[in-house]
Amino acid sequence: MTEDHSELNLCPNCGKENLPMATRCVHCGSEIESLFTIFGQSQAPDEEAEDSLPDIIEEIRNDPSLQIPAEPEPSQEVQQEDQTDEAALPADQLPDWLAKVRERAQVEEDAIGDLVSGTIAMDAARSEEGSAGVEGEFNAWINRIREKTQQDASARVRQIPSELEEPDQVPEWLQRIRALRPRPEEEITHEVKTPAPYADDLPLEWTDEALQELRRKALAEDHELETEIHPSASLDDQEQELPAEPEAELPGEPVQDEVETPEEDFHNIPNDEEEYHVPVPDEDLGHLKEVDQETVPEQIPEQEPEIVETEALELWLEPNPEESAEDLAQPETQPTAEFGAEEPPAEPETKETPEQDEVQEAILEEESELPIREPAEEPDESDQPGDSAAVPPNLLLLRDQQDRASLLASLIEQEGRVTAHKKPTRKPSGRAGRLVVALMLLVGLIISILIGPVSIPADTSKSLPAMALSEQIQSLTKDDKVLIVLDYQAATSRELEALAAPVLAQLHAQDAQLAFVTSQPSGLFLAQSLLEQAGLPENTQVEYLPGSYLNLIGWAVTPAISATGDDLVTVKNLGYFKLVLMVSDSSDNIRGWLEQIAPWISSLKFAAVTTQMEATVLLPYFDSGQLVGYAAGSADGNIGSQTSFNYRAYRVGLLLMLVMLLLGMISKGEEDAIRKEEEGAE
Amino acid sequence: MKRPLPLIVGILSGLVVLAAMFFIPQGGGILTMVLNWVIIVAAAALLVAIASMVITHLRFIASGKKGFLLSLVLVISFLATLVFGLLRGVDDPVFLKWVGAIIRPIETALLGLVALVMMSAAMKIFRERGWSALTVSFGVSAIVFLILGLGFLQNLNIPELNEVIRVVEALPMIGARGLLIGIGIGLLMMAFRVLFGMEGSGND
C-alpha cells in the first residue's frame, strides 16, 4: 500500500501531512481550513460577514482583484519575467516535445499560423468588450449601492430626534432654551427670588405658560444684571427720558463697532435656520415700544439712550467664558446685533427697501399664524421688573426665540407623542331629558289623582252621537228587550264601564229587559264589575258567545221561534230585540255586527259604547244611520253621575301630552337652528 | 306549487257560503252549519294553541333556558286557573272575581304604558323624522284635538266657536270613511283571490 504524497495536504499549524479528505490535522488536531477555503473569499465569521454595506463597498473598492488594471496589456517586464521563469528551467529537465516546439518556434516566425493568430486576436477583442460591459454593470451596481447607503444614512439621521426625546437625553432645542437662562454659577449678580414652578427648574413639557415664565425669569435676571453693572445708568434714568421710539432712532454705528468686536459672525441661529434669519421688523417691536413708553420715561436717560442700550448689548454679548459658548449657539441673537449693525444711522427703519418690505410682510404673516404669540407677548405689569426702563435687546431675542421654541416644542411634542385624537363630540343621548319628562308626567298624574276624583261638569256638552244614543235610550219603554253585548278586554274596562254603567242604569230604570252576552272569555268576570256599577242584580246571567258575531248570524238568518218570546238569549232569535247595545273596544267587531248581522234584521237598531280611540271609525256608520248612536270618551259618558272616572286626572294627562308634543317641536327647531349655525360657522 | 285539495276545498267553501248568502232563507241552514264548523274548528285551534304554549314553556323549564322562571309562573298560573275553573265552574262569582282582580290591573297598567310610549313617540317623531308633511300634519292635528279634548273651548259657549269646533270634529269622519272604503275594496280583492285560487292555504 503506497501513498501518493503529492495529494497530501499540509497542516497550516504543524506543517505535517494529512490526507486530502481530512478536516482536522491528525497530528495536532487543528482544523485544516485550507480544504474548504475559497480563494478570494473572506473567512470571517458570520458576524463579520454582516458588516455594514459601506464597509463591503469599501472592501470591494479596495480589492485589488477587482481593480481595473491600468494597463490591460501585460507589460514587457512581466512578459520577460514569464519568459525568464520558463527559461529558468534547465533544459535537461524539459521534455523532448517541449524542447522541439521551442526550437521550431525560434526558427519559424509564425509558428501558430495566421488562422490561429486571427482567432486569438478576435477572442482578445471580445474579452475586452466583455470586460468593459461587466465593468459598466459593476459600476452601476456600485452606484446603486452607494445611493441606497446614502438613503439609509439620511433615514438614520432623521430618526435621531425621536431618540433624543428620551428622558435622559436633552434635545437640541431644549439645550438652546436652557442656554438662554443664566445658570447660578454663571450669574454675576444675585439671584432673583422667584418661586420655582418646577422641581428641576425645567418643566417636563414646554407649554405656553412655561415659556412665558421662562421669559419673565430671563427678563428679571437680565435686568438685574444690567442694573448691577451699570448703576450710573439707573441714576441717569431718573433724570432723562427715553425717546418715543428708541429702536427707530437707535444709531447703528456705535453698536456695530462694539458688537462686531467680540464676534464677527455672532449669531445663534442654526445653520439649517438661516432662512429665518431676517431682521426683526418694526411692527414686531411695537409691544416693546409700548413698554418703553410706559416705564422708561422715569428711568432712562434721555440724552444717551443709545449708549445705555449699547452698553447693555455689550454686556449681553460680552464673551462670558461659559455662557458665550452657549450663547453663540443661540438663535435670534444675531438679528438684534445685525439690527444695529446693518442699519446705518442715516437710514432708520422707516426707510425700507422693497425687499425689506417683502421680508417684513412674510414675517408678519408668519407671526399671525403663531397662536401662542398673542397671550405671551405682553406680560403683566406686575410681573415686569420695576426698573425695566431700557428694554434690553436680548428681550427681543427672547421673545422671538420663545415663539420659535414654542413652535418647535409643539411640533416635537406632536411628533413624539401619540396624537390624542379629538374626542368625538358625543351626542347627548337625551336619557336625562326623557327621565325628567317621565317623572314630570308621573308627578302630575299622581298629584291629580291624589287630589281626588272630580266628575265631569253637568253642563259639559256631549257629542252628537252621544246625544242620539241618549235619545234612543230614553225612547225605550217598559219591557223593551235590549241585547247587551260585552266585547272588551280588561285593559279598557275602566273607560268602557264608566260609559256603559250609566247607560245600563238608565235602561234598568226604564224597566227594559236586558240580555247579556259576551264574545270574550274575560267578559264573564268583567261583567260582574259592570253590573255592580250599574246597580243590576248580581244574578244577572251573562252568556258566553263563542265565535263572536259569526255565531249570531244564524240567530239572524234562521232565528228560533219562541212560544212566549221571553226566552231571549236561550231562544237564539234576534228578532225579539229592539236594540242591540255593543260595549266594545274594537271597532272591527262593531263593524262586523253592523255588516254581518244588521242586514238580516231591518227592525233591529244598533248602538255602541266604545273607546274614544275607536270612535272615529264609527262616525261613518253613525252618519249613514247604521248606528243610532254611540258614546265614546269622557264627555259622552256624562249621562249620569260618575264616581269612578277622575276627570281631573284625565285633563292633566291631556295637558301633559300637549306639553310633550310642543317640547318635541321646540327641541327639533332648536336642533335645526344649532345645526344651521354650525354650518354657517364652518 | 299549490296543492290541489286545499285549493279546491277553499274555493268550494267560499262559493257555498256566497251562494247561501244569496239564497236566503233556503241556504240559511247551510250557512249556519258552515259557520258552526268554523267556530268549532276555531275553538279546537284555540285548544291546540294553548297546548302548544304549555308544552313550549314546559320545555323551557326542563332545559333551564334563560327566563324559565317566567315560564314556570305561566304554567303554574295556567294549571291553577284550569283546576279552579274545573272544580268551581266558570260561572262561580268567587272564581270570576279572583281572576278579574289579577287580570284587570295588569292589563290596565300595560295600557298606561302604551300611553307613555305614544307620548314619547310623539315627542321623538320630529327629531327622528324631521319636518315633513306627515310629521307637521300629525303635530298640528294632535295639538288641535288635544286642546279640544281638554274642553276649555267648549266651555266658553261661543256659538261661532262651537260651530268651528263641530266642523273640526267632523273632519276625522272623512279619513275614517276613506279608510273603510279601502278596507272594503281590500276584502273584496282578497275574496276574489281566494275564490280564484290565487291566495290561501293551497301554497306549499
Side-chain angles (χ1 to χ4, degrees), chain A residues 223-239:
Chain A
H223 189 74
E224 285 188 7
L225 173 68
E226 186 178 349
T227 52
E228 288 283 340
I229 295 177
H230 299 281
S232 60
S234 62
L235 292 174
D236 295 336
D237 292 344
Q238 299 175 359
E239 303 173 357

Side-chain angles (χ1 to χ4, degrees), chain A residues 481 560-566 568 571 573-578 604:
Chain A
K481 299 178 177 59
I561 298 173
S562 172
T564 60
D566 296 333
L568 294 181
V571 177
N573 188 347
L574 291 177
Y576 296 124
F577 295 99
K578 193 173 183 179
L604 192 58

Side-chain angles (χ1 to χ4, degrees), chain A residues 586-588 591 595 612-621, chain B residues 170-188:
Chain A
S586 170
S587 59
D588 289 338
R591 189 164 52 87
E595 293 176 355
Q612 197 168 11
M613 184 173 63
E614 302 288 338
T616 307
V617 183
L618 300 181
L619 265 176
Y621 293 99
Chain B
L171 288 177
M173 189 177 63
I174 301 170
R177 198 180 291 276
L179 180 66
L180 291 173
I181 292 172
I183 291 173
I185 293 174
L187 288 175
L188 189 63

Side-chain angles (χ1 to χ4, degrees), chain B residues 18-46:
Chain B
L18 192 61
M21 297 286 284
F22 277 100
F23 298 100
I24 297 292
Q26 292 82 1
I30 299 174
L31 180 62
T32 305
M33 183 184 63
V34 171
L35 291 177
N36 286 335
W37 288 353
V38 171
I39 293 170
I40 292 171
V41 171
L46 183 62

Side-chain angles (χ1 to χ4, degrees), chain A residues 338-359:
Chain A
E338 293 179 359
F339 176 76
E342 291 179 357
E343 290 186 359
E347 293 180 357
E349 287 185 359
T350 52
K351 292 182 179 180
E352 294 176 350
T353 60
E355 292 79 11
Q356 288 176 342
D357 292 337
E358 293 177 358
V359 169

